[in-house]
Amino acid sequence: MRRLNRNFDDQLRDQGNGAVSRAPETKCGLNPMKSMGILVACLMLLSVVFSVSVILEDLPSESIWSGAEARVLQVKPQLQGSEDDSPHDAKVPGDKLLGGLLTNGFDERSCLSRYQSVLYRKALTHNPSPYLISRLRSYEALHKRCGPHTEPYNKTIDQLASGKQTGRSDCNYVVWISFSGLGNRILTLASAFLYSLLTNRVLLVDRGVDITDLFCEPFPDVSWLLPTDFPLTSQFSHLDQKSVHSYGNMLKNNSLADSALPFVYLHLVHDYGDHDKLFFCDQDQSFLDRVPWLVMKTDNYFVPSLFLIPSFEEELRNLFPEKQTVFHFLGRYLFHPTNQVWGLVTRYYQAYLAKADEKIGIQIRVFDTGVGPFQHVLDQILACTLNENLLPKINRQEHIIGTAGKQKSKAVLMTSLSSGYFERIRDMYWEYPTMTGDIIGIYQPSHEEYQQTEKQMHTVKAWAEMYLLSMTDKLVTSSWSTFGYVAQGLGGLKPWILYKPENSTAPDPPCQRAMSMEPCFHAPPFFDCKKKIGVDTGVLVPHVRHCEDMSWGLKLVDQ
């Protein structure tokens, strides 16, 4: 405004051969020339204000938000993860909903990871299909209508308690039993959710001993946790393939005549029998469709075999045009670390990983008996990472390597029950310079020595480490390890898989790049449901193949 006034006064001074022209002042008010100047200035100001208001009104709010968020992406994330030390008003990038995968409507402070995780990852390299997004919104509406303590839920609970089904329910359910290690539980929970989507059922989760410590609620308005007064909870630990309510057992004993069963138990654990495996046949799905409550126990990522059920084929094709994105999208949708876990994740990330030019994850799971670390495992890790140029070679002849230009830094995140491998590799890069001049930092968050599934903090740390691995740029995983499967799927990474050693000898070659980022189904059925004969289910369709790390396993790939 001052600039406008000065410019206008300058124009007046230019008049009259440079002399300032002033009319005699009168007691009645301003002279005509000064009045004209003020009027023109006011009109100019009103014009500017009107133009700005029109521009701002025409801009969608998303555009202004995206502009601010674009600036956030230019800096390293400065967020912390716990309830006490995280700025609750921190801005997050415009894709905090992951291309529509997630929905708004949650209290962001109650689960900081849900929308802040995008600050720690690269942008999605795959986009969820519009159909998947639509089905997720439909599922959320179903869960809200039929979830715990709603009227339809209470009605079906009464039938369950009575032991008889009195009529077809508008709401049907899958109950997932918390079983096995954390990696298995995450993979099986994703499998159960996909099955719920395909069969229009509500997924309810047995909270076990630690589910509420690990994961935020994924669905708005209504909990996914099974109420503590659920009538069958006391039976969960005793359910197996010989149980009276086991579907496979009932098939085997021809005791399915009563079509009004209130619930059926599905035994899909690795030790399941031939009759249990008929779950993956179309005609058996037709029967199960009439049962309101399906109680499921499994330690397998059984998604690949769902793709071999003809009645699910079209729906799965629409949900996942890219087959290898199934766990990637379902995992990012379902599994949000609680604030306790998120604090562990973000504090470690900021302290050790954030400033590195490249982040490399190495996940080590050793199945050998005996006390490690084992030399052949260390040899295999180094052979893989050096041969694949994931890590630089060292120079044992020189103390200093002179390099021109900026040195590149690599942060290597290692996870293992043992600290031995981390210590040997850390010392190697401390004692000798790299041939490339790269600066290598080796880090390991914990070393619990042995798996302690029953300990709450052990599991919390395991979940934090899986999530940290998923934030790396490149990943090396161990054969058969569901821990690694979870990390690669959440991160959208195709890892280098370390082959399982035999006879205490490092394999040659030491590792192989994965065909896809999908987990492996370790114990699939080998049965042709139509022909009633055994068949290799890894060659029936192009998108279901045998796994790299387990020759009899199945995994989803894209052609």
Side-chain angles (χ1 to χ4, degrees):
M1 188 63 191
R2 293 194 187 97
R3 184 175 295 175
L4 284 173
N5 288 336
R6 285 199 300 271
N7 290 344
F8 189 74
D9 288 341
D10 291 342
Q11 292 175 18
L12 291 179
R13 291 188 180 92
D14 289 340
Q15 297 177 11
N17 297 321
V20 177
S21 175
R22 297 182 183 273
E25 294 183 2
T26 66
K27 293 181 180 180
C28 298
L30 299 174
N31 62 59
M33 183 61 72
K34 191 167 185 178
S35 299
M36 180 67 73
I38 293 173
L39 177 62
V40 172
C42 290
L43 290 173
M44 292 174 66
L45 177 61
L46 287 172
S47 175
V48 171
V49 171
F50 178 77
S51 300
V52 171
S53 66
V54 170
I55 292 171
L56 291 177
E57 186 175 16
D58 288 344
L59 277 174
S61 60
E62 292 89 337
S63 300
I64 303 171
W65 181 242
S66 298
E69 291 154 358
R71 292 192 292 274
V72 174
L73 289 174
Q74 302 306 312
V75 298
K76 294 288 185 182
Q78 297 299 318
L79 300 179
Q80 299 299 316
S82 70
E83 280 187 287
D84 297 328
D85 58 12
S86 178
H88 300 310
D89 59 347
K91 291 182 174 62
V92 295
D95 195 29
K96 69 174 185 176
L97 300 182
L98 304 181
L101 195 68
L102 305 181
T103 184
N104 274 317
F106 288 92
D107 174 12
E108 297 192 19
R109 296 179 61 174
S110 67
C111 184
L112 296 169
S113 67
R114 189 189 316 277
Y115 301 129
Q116 287 184 6
S117 63
V118 291
L119 288 168
Y120 298 85
R121 299 182 185 277
K122 295 180 179 178
L124 287 176
T125 55
H126 304 269
N127 295 314
S129 70
Y131 187 72
L132 173 60
I133 294 171
S134 172
R135 288 288 288 112
L136 291 176
R137 300 295 87 82
S138 297
Y139 175 82
E140 290 161 3
L142 174 68
H143 198 96
K144 182 177 181 179
R145 180 169 62 87
C146 299
H149 305 303
T150 60
E151 184 178 347
Y153 172 85
N154 293 336
K155 180 180 178 181
T156 57
I157 283 294
D158 291 340
Q159 295 182 16
L160 191 60
S162 69
K164 291 186 179 181
Q165 180 184 348
T166 57
R168 191 170 180 85
S169 173
D170 293 333
C171 298
N172 296 313
Y173 301 86
V174 170
V175 175
W176 172 88
I177 297 177
S178 183
F179 175 70
S180 194
L182 180 59
N184 296 73
R185 284 187 284 162
I186 291 174
L187 297 179
T188 60
L189 193 43
S191 304
F193 178 68
L194 179 57
Y195 180 69
S196 298
L197 277 184
L198 295 172
T199 56
N200 205 36
R201 291 176 177 269
V202 172
L203 174 67
L204 296 179
V205 173
D206 167 31
R207 62 191 71 204
V209 296
D210 56 9
I211 291 296
T212 56
D213 298 320
L214 303 174
F215 310 117
C216 301
E217 292 277 0
F219 313 130
D221 301 315
V222 180
S223 177
W224 70 338
L225 296 174
L226 193 68
T228 54
D229 60 355
F230 184 67
L232 304 179
T233 303
S234 61
Q235 301 181 35
F236 287 172
S237 60
H238 305 295
L239 291 173
D240 57 31
Q241 63 187 122
K242 297 180 181 179
S243 299
V244 174
H245 296 284
S246 166
Y247 182 65
N249 193 43
M250 286 190 285
L251 280 175
K252 184 178 180 180
N253 297 326
N254 297 314
S255 57
L256 283 173
D258 182 6
S259 60
L261 294 169
F263 87 97
V264 164
Y265 166 62
L266 301 172
H267 186 79
L268 302 179
V269 183
H270 64 274
D271 65 353
Y272 62 163
D274 292 340
H275 289 89
D276 299 303
K277 296 175 183 178
L278 296 177
F279 167 81
F280 296 104
C281 292
D282 249 338
Q283 59 269 32
D284 295 82
Q285 285 299 320
S286 297
F287 173 83
L288 293 171
D289 185 56
R290 303 194 297 270
V291 181
W293 287 91
L294 299 179
V295 179
M296 178 184 296
K297 182 186 288 186
T298 179
D299 56 0
N300 276 302
Y301 180 73
F302 58 78
V303 167
S305 285
L306 295 180
F307 276 78
L308 300 178
I309 300 176
S311 59
F312 295 159
E313 184 178 355
E314 182 179 359
E315 181 77 355
L316 286 168
R317 183 169 57 247
N318 293 332
L319 288 169
F320 302 103
E322 292 181 277
K323 306 298 186 295
Q324 70 163 332
T325 61
V326 175
F327 180 75
H328 179 55
F329 288 141
L330 296 185
R332 295 292 295 275
Y333 175 74
L334 291 171
F335 304 116
H336 308 289
T338 58
N339 286 351
Q340 179 190 13
V341 180
W342 190 236
L344 294 176
V345 170
T346 53
R347 287 190 292 272
Y348 200 91
Y349 185 95
Q350 292 291 352
Y352 303 107
L353 306 179
K355 295 180 181 180
D357 297 313
E358 186 176 55
K359 292 171 278 293
I360 298 168
I362 302 177
Q363 180 264 329
I364 304 168
R365 176 65 191 276
V366 178
F367 292 95
D368 297 56
T369 58
V371 180
F374 300 100
Q375 184 62 43
H376 66 277
V377 174
L378 178 65
D379 293 342
Q380 181 183 9
I381 296 167
L382 290 175
C384 176
T385 54
L386 296 176
N387 293 348
E388 300 295 337
N389 294 317
L390 301 174
L391 291 179
K393 293 181 172 63
I394 58 172
N395 189 326
R396 297 179 182 272
Q397 309 304 319
E398 303 287 341
H399 296 296
I400 299 291
I401 298 293
T403 57
K406 183 179 180 295
Q407 293 174 302
K408 185 177 181 180
S409 63
K410 293 188 178 186
V412 181
L413 176 70
M414 298 183 66
T415 65
S416 173
L417 291 173
S418 168
S419 62
Y421 307 104
F422 151 74
E423 291 168 352
R424 295 282 295 276
I425 296 175
R426 178 201 59 191
D427 291 349
M428 183 181 82
Y429 282 106
W430 180 32
E431 294 168 3
Y432 301 100
T434 61
M435 299 291 289
T436 59
D438 293 347
I439 304 301
I440 309 299
I442 312 293
Y443 310 102
Q444 180 172 333
S446 70
H447 47 90
E448 302 286 298
E449 302 307 328
Y450 61 95
Q451 190 165 335
Q452 305 170 54
T453 305
E454 72 285 353
K455 293 182 65 174
Q456 187 261 359
M457 197 59 195
H458 175 89
T459 309
V460 165
K461 289 180 179 178
W463 177 215
E465 292 184 12
M466 288 183 201
Y467 214 88
L468 282 165
L469 284 172
S470 77
M471 293 173 165
T472 58
D473 302 309
K474 297 175 182 178
L475 182 62
V476 178
T477 62
S478 298
S479 291
W480 298 19
S481 176
T482 56
F483 195 108
Y485 294 160
V486 171
Q488 72 193 44
L490 290 177
L493 302 166
K494 290 183 181 179
W496 282 264
I497 303 175
L498 297 167
Y499 288 115
K500 190 171 181 295
E502 300 291 343
N503 301 320
S504 299
T505 303
D508 186 17
C511 60
Q512 175 187 350
R513 189 76 185 271
M515 296 180 287
S516 77
M517 55 191 175
E518 272 289 292
C520 179
F521 180 6
H522 285 173
F526 294 99
F527 185 72
D528 187 315
C529 295
K530 290 183 179 179
K531 297 179 180 179
K532 308 292 185 184
I533 59 173
V535 67
D536 183 355
T537 48
V539 298
L540 297 179
V541 295
H543 50 274
V544 178
R545 287 282 176 260
H546 289 298
C547 309
E548 304 89 348
D549 56 332
M550 185 173 283
S551 60
W552 59 88
L554 297 181
K555 72 181 297 182
L556 293 169
V557 301
D558 286 300
Q559 292 175 264

